[in-house]
Amino acid sequence: MEQQTLGTIILLGGFLLLMFLRVPIAFALGMSSLATIVYLDIPTVVLVHRMINSLNSFTFLAVPCFILAGHLMGEGGISDRLIRFADVLVGRVRGGLAQANIASSSMFGSISGSAVADVASIGSVLIKSMSQRGYRPGYSVSVTISSSIQSILIPPSQNMIYFSLAAGGISVESLFLAGYFPALLLGGSLMVLCWILAIKQGHPKGERYTIKESVKIGLDAGIGLFTVVIIVGGILLGMFTATESAAVASIYALLITVFIYRTMTLCKFVSILNMSVKTLAMVIAILMTSSAFAFLLGVLNVPSALADLILSLSGNVIIALLAINLLMLILGMLMDVGILVLLLTPILLPIAVKLGLDPIHFGMIMMVNLGIGLCTPPSGSSLLLGCAIGKVSMGTTLKEMVPFYIVMLIVLMLVTFVPSISLYLPNLSSNQL
């Protein structure tokens, strides 16, 4: 057996075996990489250098700052204000609370950058409220978890930063801009679906607010939403980079939760720092070991071999893209988004480029795919969390999820086969510079 073939078996087989034995993902990546590099007789210092070098990036500095900003805004009471503001905007239509749920996810996602944080914050309030107003619990959970995918697509999506790092430094600013139209397409499609279901199932309208109440609620929520202006506006105006915007957003989040909302206490702040450090430690461990794993995949020519295999099965680009989408959808059901972004990008991005896709466009395809995975069994974290918050079984929720899955898959196909949805804003921005 050739050395390359056996090395590939050791790397991929060892990783899958360790995962089956429930070894933590970072250790599984590191141990399989170490075993492979020993077999290939490559100096271990090369592996160490690759792991250290993966953190030697200005882009990576945005990760801890966005993690901290997300926790500050999530724990600082912003979600309650966004929910009331969304209810003011869309709550009066039929099924208005479901519409407010989707709109809240759009706004909260532009602050937290995390789908699971979205479900935890928005869901803890709205799933119960929707059930109390006559919505079926499974439907309430379905609306919450499907709309949370927007958080992966809207800046400051942490997973876009991971994609940039794994892809070798693709512009984070361009990725941030590319996510807006896919997110709006998804949110708008879910709103249309909820409106149709509301008419068919007789869902209630929301409460009516006076003009004075609406203005007050809007101003209160606007203070938190100004974080979006800081992140995106600052980048577009050239005031700072995406990494610098993360630091500014963290400071702003701390100031408004302490001095304006007055929801931040010293005890809560210490707890937030503790959560942020734990999250960051996990991210660093996975990023370092996945970098070593990706390096060995390149040494063993796995991406090139997989690309040739996919193209040999069919010379049709459409079928090849459908096969890649299917692969990501299946893997998204089994593993977390961040891990898959770091693992799959070095493998699938070269194939996508070979098929003629822009790397930024492929990044959006990956985000939508893996976002859907968060809502699917057996390991979808948003699905599991939503069911726990709503105190409803997964089986009950999955019955309600069927039309939502259909809409999400339609959006995925549109994002896949209509590149301008993802590339219009990045191209517009680059033309203006």
Side-chain angles (χ1 to χ4, degrees):
M1 187 178 292
E2 294 182 6
Q3 185 185 44
Q4 180 176 327
T5 303
L6 189 54
T8 303
I9 292 173
I10 294 172
L11 181 65
L12 299 179
F15 171 69
L16 293 174
L17 176 62
L18 291 169
M19 286 291 292
F20 178 76
L21 296 174
R22 298 187 179 277
V23 174
I25 183 71
F27 289 99
L29 289 167
M31 292 166 67
S32 58
S33 298
L34 182 59
T36 306
I37 206 169
V38 169
Y39 168 74
L40 295 175
D41 198 25
I42 299 174
T44 53
V45 68
V46 175
L47 195 66
V48 174
H49 181 266
R50 295 292 302 192
M51 293 172 69
I52 298 298
N53 199 48
S54 66
L55 303 180
N56 187 23
S57 167
F58 183 66
T59 301
F60 178 73
L61 292 177
V63 175
C65 293
F66 278 134
I67 289 174
L68 178 59
H71 282 307
L72 286 169
M73 298 302 281
E75 300 294 322
I78 182 62
S79 56
D80 294 339
R81 291 169 170 83
L82 293 181
I83 289 170
R84 293 191 68 198
F85 181 50
D87 199 27
V88 168
L89 294 176
V90 296
R92 284 301 300 160
V93 301
R94 177 68 63 184
L97 202 53
Q99 306 286 359
N101 194 327
I102 298 168
S104 300
S105 291
S106 302
M107 292 184 282
F108 189 76
S110 66
I111 295 172
S112 71
S114 168
V116 176
D118 183 299
V119 174
S121 299
I122 303 298
S124 60
V125 177
L126 279 181
I127 290 177
K128 182 178 179 180
S129 298
M130 289 178 68
S131 298
Q132 289 175 341
R133 296 193 192 183
Y135 295 85
R136 293 190 299 274
Y139 177 81
S140 304
V141 172
S142 298
V143 174
T144 304
I145 64 176
S146 57
S147 62
S148 72
I149 298 176
Q150 296 173 94
S151 301
I152 297 177
L153 297 166
I154 302 174
S157 169
Q158 298 161 18
N159 293 292
M160 288 190 188
I161 300 174
Y162 302 155
F163 179 81
S164 172
L165 293 169
I170 291 176
S171 168
V172 177
E173 290 86 348
S174 295
L175 288 170
F176 278 1
L177 289 174
Y180 273 110
F181 281 171
L184 290 173
L185 176 62
L186 176 62
S189 301
L190 291 174
M191 282 186 162
V192 171
L193 172 63
C194 288
W195 177 71
I196 294 172
L197 293 176
I199 293 174
K200 291 180 63 176
Q201 300 173 8
H203 293 161
K205 293 183 178 181
E207 62 180 287
R208 187 185 297 275
Y209 294 89
T210 65
I211 295 177
K212 183 178 180 180
E213 288 174 331
S214 300
V215 171
K216 182 180 179 181
I217 291 170
L219 291 175
D220 198 27
I223 295 171
L225 285 173
F226 191 72
T227 310
V228 183
V229 178
I230 293 175
I231 295 171
V232 180
I235 292 172
L236 291 178
L237 293 174
M239 297 174 62
F240 35 66
T241 65
T243 301
E244 292 164 343
S245 74
V248 175
S250 297
I251 295 171
Y252 177 77
L254 179 61
L255 291 176
I256 65 170
T257 52
V258 171
F259 297 108
I260 299 179
Y261 291 157
R262 297 184 179 181
T263 52
M264 188 62 60
T265 63
L266 180 59
C267 182
K268 185 180 287 187
F269 181 63
V270 171
S271 176
I272 288 172
L273 289 178
N274 185 43
M275 287 189 295
S276 299
V277 169
K278 286 182 178 179
T279 303
L280 181 60
M282 179 183 66
V283 169
I284 289 175
I286 294 173
L287 181 61
M288 292 176 69
T289 52
S290 66
S291 176
F293 192 85
F295 165 71
L296 290 171
L297 286 173
V299 170
L300 296 167
N301 292 320
V302 173
S304 178
L306 185 59
D308 292 339
L309 175 62
I310 291 176
L311 293 173
S312 67
L313 293 175
S314 172
N316 191 310
V317 175
I318 294 176
I319 295 177
L321 286 175
L322 289 174
I324 292 173
N325 274 310
L326 181 61
L327 174 64
M328 287 193 285
L329 282 171
I330 293 172
L331 292 175
M333 298 178 187
L334 305 173
M335 297 174 67
D336 186 68
V337 176
I339 296 169
L340 285 173
V341 170
L342 294 170
L343 282 180
L344 294 180
T345 301
I347 300 174
L348 297 180
L349 181 58
I351 302 174
V353 172
K354 211 168 186 177
L355 292 171
L357 269 67
D358 186 287
I360 293 173
H361 176 208
F362 178 71
M364 296 306 106
I365 295 173
M366 177 176 281
M367 294 301 133
V368 178
N369 263 298
L370 301 183
I372 295 173
L374 289 172
C375 304
T376 52
S379 301
S381 50
S382 292
L383 173 62
L384 295 174
L385 180 58
C387 290
I389 293 172
K391 298 179 180 179
V392 60
S393 70
M394 186 182 294
T396 301
T397 301
L398 291 177
K399 291 178 183 177
E400 299 283 357
M401 278 294 297
V402 171
F404 293 90
Y405 285 137
I406 293 171
V407 167
M408 289 188 287
L409 289 173
I410 291 172
V411 170
L412 173 60
M413 291 299 100
L414 289 172
V415 171
T416 299
F417 295 110
V418 186
S420 58
I421 295 175
S422 303
L423 298 178
Y424 178 76
L425 287 180
N427 290 341
L428 182 65
S429 176
S430 62
N431 291 335
Q432 290 179 344
L433 294 178

